Amino acid sequence: MKAIRIINNIKQRENFRPFGASVLFEHKDEHFDMEFKNPYMLYYCEVKNKNLKCITHIDNTCRVQTVGDENPVFGKLLQEFYKITGSSVLLNTSLN
């Protein structure tokens, strides 16, 4: 997928490395097979939503950050993104 190649090129990262995604905690079950909070992207989980191809690794996993009360600023940003786009999931990479 072209977007994945572009992001990997910008980040100077290997193709085998999975992406991370941020999701509003209350929406995590719609998209990921994860039963707990994960505010620090420490764990991988299965991706349920087949429309999330850009953040899904070849083995159907993603390193997910759940966003809730512990991160109110980012939570508000994700809430606004959800209102505008209808998506509560966002690719999470620093791109610096």
Side-chain angles (χ1 to χ4, degrees):
M1 186 171 291
K2 186 176 181 180
I4 293 171
R5 285 193 302 270
I6 291 170
I7 293 168
N8 278 335
N9 187 41
I10 291 169
K11 292 292 293 175
Q12 299 178 346
R13 40 183 286 146
E14 300 84 0
N15 290 332
F16 65 84
R17 292 181 60 197
F19 288 113
S22 298
V23 63
L24 291 168
F25 179 77
E26 60 269 20
H27 292 255
K28 69 175 178 47
D29 295 332
E30 299 168 35
H31 307 290
F32 304 102
D33 187 15
M34 174 181 276
E35 299 179 11
F36 51 89
K37 282 187 173 185
N38 188 25
Y40 303 109
M41 300 177 87
L42 297 177
Y43 304 101
Y44 294 91
C45 65
E46 294 284 323
V47 178
K48 291 181 182 179
N49 185 336
K50 302 302 179 197
N51 293 322
L52 299 176
K53 294 176 186 170
C54 283
I55 56 113
T56 303
H57 190 52
I58 194 165
D59 65 356
N60 198 47
T61 63
C62 182
R63 188 171 42 98
V64 178
Q65 173 190 22
T66 57
V67 180
D69 296 340
E70 72 283 337
N71 195 340
V73 174
F74 193 32
K76 185 168 173 57
L77 176 80
L78 273 178
Q79 286 284 354
E80 291 301 315
F81 181 76
Y82 176 62
K83 287 179 191 175
I84 294 167
T85 67
S87 176
S88 58
V89 180
L90 193 62
L91 174 69
N92 186 334
T93 182
S94 60
L95 294 178
N96 57 359

